[in-house]
Amino acid sequence: MKLFYWTLISLLSHWKRHPVQLASLLLGLWLATALWTGVQSLNQQAKSNYDQAASLFDQQAGVYLQAPGGQAFDQALWLELRLQDWPLVPLLEGRIRIQEPEVRLQLLGLDPISQMQLEGTASQILGRTSLEQWITAPGQTLIAPSTMQELGWQPGQRPLTTQGQKLPPLVSLEGLAPGLLLTDIGWAQELLHSPDQLTRLLAPQQWLAPYSGQLPQLPEAIEEQLIWQQGEAEADLGRLTESFHLNLTALGLLAFAVGLFIVHATLGLALEQRLGLLRTLRASGITLNSLLLALLVELGSLALVGGLAGVISGYWLAAALLPDVAASLRSLYGAPVSGQLEMQPTTWLTALLMSFGGLLLAGSSWLFKAARLPILALARPQAWYQAEQRRVRLQGVLALVAALVAAWAWLQGDSLVWGLLLLAGLLLSAALWLPLLLLGLLKLANLLARGPLQQWFWADIRQQLPGLSLALMALLLAQAANIGVGTMTEGFRKTFTGWLDQRLAAEIYIRPETQQQAEEITRWLEQQEAIEAILPQYQIQLEIEGWPVEVGGLVDAATYRDSWPLLQTLNQPWQAVFSENAWLASEQLAQRLQLQPGDQLELTTRLGIRTGKLAGIYADYGNPRGQLLINAEEFLTFWPDQPIHSLALRLAEDQASAWVEKLRANFQLDSSRVIDQASLKEWSTGVFDRTFNATSALSYLTLGLAALALLTSLLTLSQARLPQLAPLWAMGLSPAQLAGLNLLQLLLLALLTALLALPLGLLLAWSLVSVVNVQAFGWRLPLHIFPVQLGISVAMALLAALLAAAWPSWQLRSRASARLVKVFAHER
Amino acid sequence: MNARLLYLLIFLLGLSACSEAPEPPSGFAGLGTEVEGYPQVSRNDRIRFPEALGAHPEYRIEWWYVTANLTDENGQDWGIQWTLFRQALQPNQGKAKGWQTPQVWMGHAAITSATHHWQAERLSRGGTGEADAQAQPFKAWIHSWRLSSQQEASFSPLEVYASDQDFAYRLQLSTDQPFVLQGDQGYSQKSEQGQASWYYSQPFFKVEGQIEVDDQQLQVRGQGWMDREWSSQPLAPGQEGWDWFSLHLETGEKVMLFQLREDGKDYYSGTWISAAGEPTPLEPEQIQMQPLELTRVAGRQLPTHWRLQIADYDLDITTRPLNAKSFMDTLVPYWEGPIFFEGSHQGRGFLEMTGY
């Protein structure tokens, strides 16, 4: 035991003498774990919030009644059923805008008494409040503590809506989904301006049980006005947002892998420097087993320290990114995600395990080498590198396999998992090819070399290559990811802004509260000369093959004919829509149902099932649901009672904001109900920017990691390369020249890698845009290439390499003479 | 006297979480709590019809209560109960409407046989139409359950209906007798301190109709009793519960008796009703009530057999339940069921026991 202790102390003493190495090892572990933990915490936070939202009514197979279009309906319908003993639980859902801070929150109106029939968290929560305070003025608004904190509110406060109404006093309650306000139906009806209106009637499972799968037949008078719906709307969140989280996870894993490259390189350096020590220990009688055990204990302690630091900073990272991610999820999917991070113990544990596993993985090859260390043999780097040559050939084979996997995934390509497999195969294959490619290029250069120094220069790079190859791979991957993500994001931004210009052609958009208001507004607008056109739009929410789809009704107007962003069409698509009742599908819908223009599609309408021909497909970026557009006349034959969903107004652009003000004042519309084009565009681009903030932050962090990987590898090499450099110094090259050559060599390698990363990055961008995005979101973007961005990326890679090489070169230059002399004295 | 509104209170207390400190005694289910802002029952007022049939939302508590002792074609005995309670959460100055109406309604229905006790409960908000009561034509309802006059202008005949998963009843109630005002012209005192309620009854219903239990339909007929009571503070603080009897004597006379239990000072009250419907209030000292036998029901000991004495009327009877397990396992649990009695007089009736 004592012997083991001293062995361990001897091994650890190395780190005391090389604090920079220790720092970079811990840094690698720390960053890898931090990025991974960060991503995982983000995902977990979102998922636990979805669960909270989904468990509100405890309806796994939730069954409820709603109006055919999902709009509000008269509570008299509920009363009629209630008086026939249908134990339905009424809900009123809506969104309200708050003045301070300016946010939109989901408002849910509940009746606590009928709610008692359900077992979800809502019932438990209501069981903890006083019925009297809940029902009687001023009522109560329940809110999650995290949301309250986020918005800077205090219990008892009564925030104002943008229309100047006071919310009932706030009461904070644990367990409530974030971003959600719960209040009594009565207060909700006032706040949402929906007197006597409801949006959903939940059916208790217990009551449905005797119907054994059938749904109770609605009385004739109500049959037309309410329909049964199955599947809790809240549970859809997990499904809708799955791809978003999968993307984050993939980036997190990439970052973790890059972090492990650093760890691998540093461990290599440490072993290289401790070969003598290991030999000495073995020679002085330490058994191989206890030596390995000591190394393992050493690794374990490092993993613990690095991992813990990683978990903690991962938490900070996640906390920093969460507000953006939460905001994206809220705006894109309406998913209630808290901007406050609550970390689960499992995340901590998983991250620590990942840290241990990662370190073991990164260190295993070195442990293996240590185990086979010949006690008496001299360290022979050259022999190692010969072994590396064999490994390079093996790598070639692996690279080929990875490429085949990528190709196979591409051919399969009908789900996001295949898309990600394609990415993984592509990246792995490219990374494994990299040393071979570089080797080939260097051999070629060697052939062209003139004079001994040039020949030495090229041959020396080749010799450095095996030691640097892992770090270069990391650089390649990080840079390719940076290019890929950057190209996709920029391309998306370009397409998206162009698309917004087309899609938001009208100057003002109005969403009336009721059909009556829609008619009043229309009548008033018709008398205004400045208004060039009033375009009513109808909408109804349906399911097509189990997927949520919005069916919209459009009136014939030049606005649509001129600017709607059609992607693929038959001849004269608008003619077909307005004269022949053909339909238009959003790209997401067409992708999901495998539709092409000319195909037939079935729709369940009030009249029964109706079939229509698809005249075209249009882009509908950012919409998690499918969309189908039909002409308004046909829409109204299918759903005669459907109120107007929105009004689009055409008028002179410079008058838009003045008219928005007029409309707001005349009809008491808040800013969520009337908005001009410019504000709407600003809001949409805001959503877009936030969506990719997390992605690009992660991709830059990954690039930073790659630079670190390079630095640690160079440190390893500079130690090992002294014997190669010493003769050159002896032959008259100054240390400064040597350092310069060294720097040049590395920049050359980095440049080659960066250049190779360009096509890889573009290939990655193509896969993201044409495969992964299509699977994840249902839309395909045109691939835009941005030369300036590519140039910046290469420059950044070179800068990273320069920074990484600067220190070892400076070391060589400043302390070289003494150390180089030593080489001749030293046994190595 | 029916303590049901107490139940309502309990049910409300059950819903509220804010009971950090032990409260001073406030009567069974908080019925002894004094609350500002509600009108108090005053001896100077009078009960007026038909308004007295509808709801009195300005008062704190109120109930409509029907029991019936029935017999089917095979000679089997049955009891039914139909009750609707209203409880105000807050004095309402008539401002709040719709969902904001500070009222809660609760319905209880039961069928009792010698071997079974079927029961159900309904809850609802006021102001939405789910539950309410109107005076003319008289109708009181919660969800599909209702007690309603069958003619526009006349209170009788009525139909009473309730159903649940495993039982249902639809009965016709008719009488040509007038309502019986309990206590002093309907002013029914509940304690020495003067707590009181408005209380009247219709004990003379002839009942016939169908009951349905376990998918079996039966024709039944018998006698029914309806109680109406409203108040803002019917109990004195410290009164823990009560035992209440309604008795149909074979002579055609009716008797209502109750005791409100309070440590050391139980309060007795009752009314002797002649066959013609003439009520005579009974003074506390005229009444003697003595438990004879306890039955263990729902984890508690309840006096299901009693000896009742009213010396001035030569009444000395012993009562026994049709089913000793007629326990209402509702949000506010209590015992309520049909009874038989013999001794100086014979007949049947109903017993209600709360606060055990």
Side-chain angles (χ1 to χ4, degrees):
Chain A
M1 198 58 214
K2 205 166 182 182
L3 206 57
F4 176 75
Y5 172 77
W6 286 113
T7 311
L8 194 58
I9 291 295
S10 318
L11 283 174
L12 289 177
S13 67
H14 170 82
W15 303 112
K16 203 172 155 188
R17 276 177 282 122
H18 299 88
V20 177
Q21 254 178 49
L22 179 65
S24 71
L25 177 68
L26 289 177
L27 199 65
L29 253 183
W30 169 56
L31 286 175
T33 320
L35 287 178
W36 170 253
T37 313
V39 165
Q40 281 307 96
S41 313
L42 285 178
N43 285 345
Q44 280 214 350
Q45 174 73 38
K47 287 210 176 92
S48 87
N49 287 158
Y50 303 153
D51 289 348
Q52 280 176 336
S55 64
L56 196 54
F57 305 118
D58 188 35
Q59 299 226 312
Q60 264 104 36
V63 175
Y64 56 92
L65 284 168
Q66 63 168 202
Q71 78 277 24
F73 55 87
D74 194 331
Q75 77 184 28
L77 297 175
W78 160 75
L79 183 60
E80 192 169 333
L81 292 169
R82 193 76 161 131
L83 293 179
Q84 293 179 38
D85 260 348
W86 289 42
L88 299 167
V89 180
L91 292 184
L92 176 65
E93 297 140 302
R95 298 184 79 82
I96 50 165
R97 277 181 170 251
I98 304 292
Q99 273 184 17
E100 188 60 47
E102 209 172 302
V103 280
R104 291 186 75 190
L105 295 173
Q106 202 194 347
L107 181 71
L108 192 53
L110 296 173
D111 165 31
I113 293 199
S114 47
Q115 196 60 237
M116 292 197 303
Q117 302 172 91
L118 302 179
E119 288 183 355
T121 39
S123 316
Q124 293 165 19
I125 285 167
L126 291 170
R128 284 189 266 141
T129 70
S130 141
L131 188 65
E132 181 183 339
Q133 286 173 5
W134 179 261
I135 291 180
T136 60
Q140 289 181 325
T141 305
L142 304 185
I143 182 170
S146 60
T147 309
M148 184 134 99
Q149 208 182 331
E150 216 174 304
L151 300 174
W153 290 345
Q154 301 299 322
Q157 195 178 332
R158 303 190 62 182
L160 289 175
T161 66
T162 45
Q163 304 202 329
Q165 289 169 293
K166 276 184 185 170
L167 290 184
L170 297 173
V171 175
S172 119
L173 261 183
E174 285 291 344
L176 206 56
L180 183 66
L181 302 174
L182 280 192
T183 191
D184 190 57
I185 283 201
W187 307 115
Q189 286 182 341
E190 278 189 5
L191 291 166
L192 296 169
H193 306 284
S194 310
D196 297 336
Q197 301 279 300
L198 301 173
T199 51
R200 265 204 283 173
L201 304 177
L202 307 180
Q205 289 293 312
Q206 209 183 342
W207 174 62
L208 290 172
Y211 290 92
S212 54
Q214 300 282 311
L215 290 169
Q217 177 75 35
L218 283 161
E220 221 169 283
I222 288 178
E223 213 175 15
E224 297 269 291
Q225 302 172 65
L226 293 179
I227 49 166
W228 282 115
Q229 290 281 319
Q230 223 151 354
E232 187 58 39
E234 284 80 3
D236 285 349
L237 287 179
R239 195 159 51 89
L240 282 176
T241 53
E242 193 188 353
S243 35
F244 186 93
H245 296 300
L246 202 53
N247 277 347
L248 274 184
T249 307
L251 260 177
L253 269 178
L254 182 62
F256 188 72
V258 171
L260 288 190
F261 279 126
I262 301 181
V263 174
H264 185 268
T266 318
L267 282 176
L269 174 59
L271 192 79
E272 163 77 14
Q273 289 174 341
R274 286 190 292 181
L275 280 178
L277 175 67
L278 294 184
R279 265 199 319 268
T280 313
L281 284 171
R282 288 282 281 118
S284 47
I286 310 290
T287 62
L288 184 60
N289 281 344
S290 56
L291 188 61
L292 286 179
L293 188 64
L295 280 170
L296 268 176
V297 169
E298 182 192 64
L299 283 183
S301 334
L302 290 170
L304 191 65
V305 176
L308 272 178
V311 171
I312 292 164
S313 35
Y315 176 81
W316 288 335
L317 177 70
L321 291 177
L322 187 61
D324 270 345
V325 171
S328 307
L329 286 166
R330 259 181 250 152
S331 353
L332 279 179
Y333 307 100
V337 175
S338 165
Q340 301 263 324
L341 197 64
E342 293 149 31
M343 203 158 179
Q344 321 279 341
T346 47
T347 314
W348 290 79
L349 212 62
T350 323
L352 275 182
L353 282 177
M354 289 282 288
S355 168
F356 273 103
L359 190 62
L360 212 57
L361 190 72
S364 60
S365 63
W366 301 119
L367 277 180
F368 191 59
K369 274 180 188 164
R372 293 202 316 192
L373 181 74
I375 302 179
L376 296 175
L378 292 177
R380 287 180 303 147
Q382 193 53 42
W384 279 29
Y385 299 150
Q386 279 165 7
E388 291 288 339
Q389 296 285 340
R390 286 195 296 278
R391 221 171 73 176
V392 164
R393 277 195 290 278
L394 181 66
Q395 258 181 358
V397 176
L398 282 178
L400 198 64
V401 173
L404 286 175
V405 167
W408 179 55
W410 179 59
L411 289 175
Q412 291 289 328
D414 60 349
S415 78
L416 186 57
V417 178
W418 286 118
L420 291 176
L421 196 60
L422 164 65
L423 285 189
L426 205 61
L427 287 176
L428 188 63
S429 164
L432 292 171
W433 279 110
L434 180 73
L436 298 180
L437 271 173
L438 287 176
L439 211 57
L441 286 174
L442 293 173
K443 273 187 182 159
L444 210 62
N446 207 1
L447 288 180
L448 303 173
R450 297 277 174 274
L453 189 59
Q454 279 190 21
Q455 285 203 350
W456 169 84
F457 181 80
W458 295 113
D460 188 57
I461 300 187
R462 271 167 57 197
Q463 210 209 352
Q464 287 190 57
L465 195 55
L468 281 177
S469 63
L470 268 177
L472 289 172
M473 285 181 196
L475 186 66
L476 178 82
L477 291 187
Q479 202 200 341
N482 189 269
I483 293 174
V485 169
T487 304
M488 175 188 73
T489 318
E490 276 310 301
F492 192 13
R493 185 194 299 278
K494 189 172 173 180
T495 315
F496 187 71
T497 17
W499 169 80
L500 272 181
D501 286 340
Q502 295 182 307
R503 184 71 182 261
L504 302 178
E507 280 71 28
I508 295 181
Y509 292 86
I510 308 172
R511 216 154 43 81
E513 283 168 22
T514 58
Q515 174 70 13
Q516 194 194 349
Q517 194 184 43
E519 285 163 12
E520 279 169 23
I521 295 176
T522 311
R523 268 198 301 278
W524 182 74
L525 286 171
E526 276 165 355
Q527 291 160 9
Q528 313 298 324
E529 275 184 17
I531 308 295
E532 291 158 20
I534 307 164
L535 311 172
Q537 297 181 350
Y538 298 86
Q539 193 177 312
I540 190 163
Q541 306 265 351
L542 296 177
E543 282 201 354
I544 298 183
E545 298 186 14
W547 200 48
V549 173
E550 308 160 353
V551 178
L554 296 183
V555 293
D556 190 358
T559 305
Y560 303 126
R561 291 176 183 263
D562 296 346
S563 66
W564 200 258
L566 292 169
L567 297 173
Q568 267 180 291
T569 58
L570 300 177
N571 269 339
Q572 296 194 311
W574 293 107
Q575 187 68 17
V577 170
F578 291 114
S579 318
E580 298 151 34
N581 289 343
W583 300 343
L584 296 172
S586 75
E587 190 184 7
Q588 288 90 310
L589 179 66
Q591 153 77 18
R592 176 67 73 113
L593 303 182
Q594 305 283 315
L595 293 172
Q596 293 293 325
D599 287 353
Q600 299 281 331
L601 177 65
E602 279 187 352
L603 200 56
T604 310
T605 71
R606 191 72 65 71
L607 306 173
I609 291 179
R610 290 293 181 268
T611 313
K613 187 165 84 169
L614 213 56
I617 293 170
Y618 60 92
D620 188 26
Y621 305 121
N623 191 347
R625 297 182 174 79
Q627 208 180 54
L628 188 73
L629 292 179
I630 70 180
N631 88 49
E633 275 173 39
E634 192 181 21
F635 185 97
L636 288 175
T637 60
F638 290 167
W639 298 282
D641 310 324
Q642 202 61 15
I644 291 176
H645 175 260
S646 60
L647 295 166
L649 306 185
R650 298 308 308 261
L651 65 160
E653 204 182 319
D654 53 356
Q655 292 182 22
S657 49
W659 279 94
V660 166
E661 287 311 315
K662 277 188 210 175
L663 281 161
R664 279 185 192 161
N666 278 5
F667 297 96
Q668 279 88 48
L669 293 166
D670 72 18
S671 49
S672 70
R673 300 220 167 250
V674 52
I675 191 165
D676 61 285
Q677 193 196 77
S679 317
L680 192 53
K681 271 184 192 161
E682 195 184 323
W683 182 82
S684 307
T685 19
V687 169
F688 166 84
D689 282 342
R690 279 198 303 265
T691 306
F692 291 103
N693 265 359
T695 316
S696 57
L698 283 175
S699 90
Y700 278 106
L701 283 171
T702 312
L703 195 61
L705 269 182
L708 259 175
L710 208 55
L711 171 70
T712 48
S713 302
L714 285 172
L715 288 176
T716 320
L717 274 188
S718 66
Q719 178 78 13
R721 287 177 71 250
L722 285 179
Q724 274 89 49
L725 294 178
L728 289 167
W729 170 74
M731 282 185 266
L733 284 174
S734 73
Q737 276 174 314
L738 276 178
L741 280 177
N742 205 40
L743 199 60
L744 193 62
Q745 284 179 324
L746 193 82
L747 283 180
L748 204 63
L749 278 180
L751 182 66
L752 284 175
T753 307
L755 290 178
L756 288 171
L758 287 184
L760 180 64
L762 292 178
L763 197 58
L764 193 65
W766 172 83
S767 317
L768 283 171
V769 161
S770 315
V771 183
V772 175
N773 273 355
V774 177
Q775 298 303 340
F777 304 111
W779 61 66
R780 183 189 298 267
L781 299 164
L783 182 63
H784 295 283
I785 294 174
F786 302 88
V788 176
Q789 195 197 33
L790 295 183
I792 291 174
S793 176
V794 171
M796 281 199 55
L798 287 182
L799 185 68
L802 190 67
L803 288 176
W807 190 44
S809 298
W810 176 78
Q811 247 192 346
L812 189 65
R813 187 193 159 129
S814 58
R815 305 204 313 235
S817 303
R819 287 171 72 200
L820 290 169
V821 172
K822 253 194 221 165
V823 167
F824 295 105
H826 203 274
E827 57 182 286
R828 284 164 56 191
Chain B
M1 156 72 186
N2 307 310
R4 311 133 196 171
L5 64 106
L6 311 177
Y7 304 162
L8 197 55
L9 268 182
I10 298 228
F11 139 65
L12 290 173
L13 293 175
L15 260 185
S16 47
C18 346
S19 51
E20 295 91 8
E23 307 252 325
S26 55
F28 176 61
L31 281 185
T33 328
E34 194 169 344
V35 180
E36 299 270 321
Y38 296 104
Q40 293 302 317
V41 175
S42 150
R43 210 182 276 272
N44 302 326
D45 285 346
R46 284 287 169 270
I47 291 185
R48 271 177 286 273
F49 290 95
E51 294 83 357
L53 286 164
H56 302 76
E58 64 279 15
Y59 286 83
R60 198 158 142 231
I61 44 172
E62 175 162 39
W63 55 82
W64 293 254
Y65 178 84
V66 174
T67 54
N69 295 89
L70 305 167
T71 313
D72 68 17
E73 304 122 306
N74 312 318
Q76 298 259 18
D77 290 307
W78 299 88
I80 70 103
Q81 178 202 347
W82 189 99
T83 324
L84 180 64
F85 307 96
R86 180 191 60 77
Q87 157 86 39
L89 298 170
Q90 224 178 47
N92 186 12
Q93 281 83 33
K95 283 186 224 145
K97 295 215 163 52
W99 291 95
Q100 281 149 32
T101 311
Q103 305 278 349
V104 185
W105 296 76
M106 176 166 73
H108 285 172
I111 296 186
T112 313
S113 76
T115 51
H116 268 86
H117 181 71
W118 294 266
Q119 54 174 316
E121 182 169 41
R122 297 284 184 269
L123 295 168
S124 109
R125 301 272 286 267
T128 60
E130 280 184 88
D132 210 340
Q134 63 186 43
Q136 205 170 19
F138 169 67
K139 186 179 169 195
W141 73 94
I142 182 163
H143 306 163
S144 71
W145 299 2
R146 62 190 170 268
L147 172 66
S148 52
S149 292
Q150 298 302 92
Q151 289 168 15
E152 279 277 311
S154 130
F155 171 68
S156 169
L158 295 102
E159 182 179 87
V160 62
Y161 168 82
S163 75
D164 198 50
Q165 268 167 3
D166 50 4
F167 76 88
Y169 55 78
R170 187 187 297 277
L171 306 170
Q172 277 70 47
L173 317 175
S174 57
T175 181
D176 44 18
Q177 303 258 70
F179 291 109
V180 174
L181 302 181
Q182 306 278 9
D184 176 7
Q185 295 294 306
Y187 178 90
S188 168
Q189 193 168 329
K190 295 298 194 274
S191 80
E192 301 291 355
Q193 294 103 297
Q195 275 79 10
S197 65
W198 289 115
Y199 182 10
Y200 69 86
S201 306
Q202 176 45 273
F204 293 104
F205 279 128
K206 290 193 196 67
V207 182
E208 57 185 331
Q210 297 86 40
I211 61 174
E212 196 179 318
V213 289
D214 295 342
D215 295 326
Q216 181 192 8
Q217 267 213 354
L218 294 163
Q219 287 293 325
V220 290
R221 54 174 61 237
Q223 291 162 293
W225 180 304
M226 172 177 151
D227 268 354
R228 276 285 287 119
E229 194 159 1
W230 64 98
S231 176
S232 292
Q233 190 200 0
L235 290 195
Q239 290 181 331
E240 338 164 321
W242 57 83
D243 307 293
W244 172 93
F245 289 89
S246 64
L247 307 173
H248 300 278
L249 309 189
E250 279 193 342
T251 57
E253 294 159 298
K254 313 284 176 181
V255 179
M256 188 280 293
L257 286 178
F258 64 83
Q259 69 164 337
L260 287 160
R261 301 190 306 275
E262 186 177 2
D263 210 9
K265 38 178 178 175
D266 295 350
Y267 184 83
Y268 294 91
S269 181
T271 307
W272 188 279
I273 303 160
S274 74
E278 275 301 315
T280 313
L282 299 171
E283 292 306 313
E285 49 286 356
Q286 292 177 282
I287 303 166
Q288 278 188 295
M289 298 171 67
Q290 184 191 354
L292 295 178
E293 191 180 321
L294 296 174
T295 307
R296 190 158 184 82
V297 193
R300 57 202 97 194
Q301 295 285 350
L302 284 152
T304 49
H305 294 66
W306 290 76
R307 181 176 178 191
L308 305 175
Q309 289 165 279
I310 308 170
D312 297 348
Y313 289 85
D314 295 327
L315 179 112
D316 184 353
I317 54 174
T318 56
T319 77
R320 65 178 166 85
L322 171 63
N323 181 343
K325 311 235 159 175
S326 307
F327 196 78
M328 296 300 285
D329 194 12
T330 37
L331 276 172
V332 180
Y334 59 103
W335 194 103
E336 174 105 35
I339 54 168
F340 296 96
F341 54 88
E342 47 212 19
S344 64
H345 296 73
Q346 290 208 327
R348 49 190 182 170
F350 252 75
L351 165 62
E352 175 178 280
M353 300 182 283
T354 67
Y356 287 96

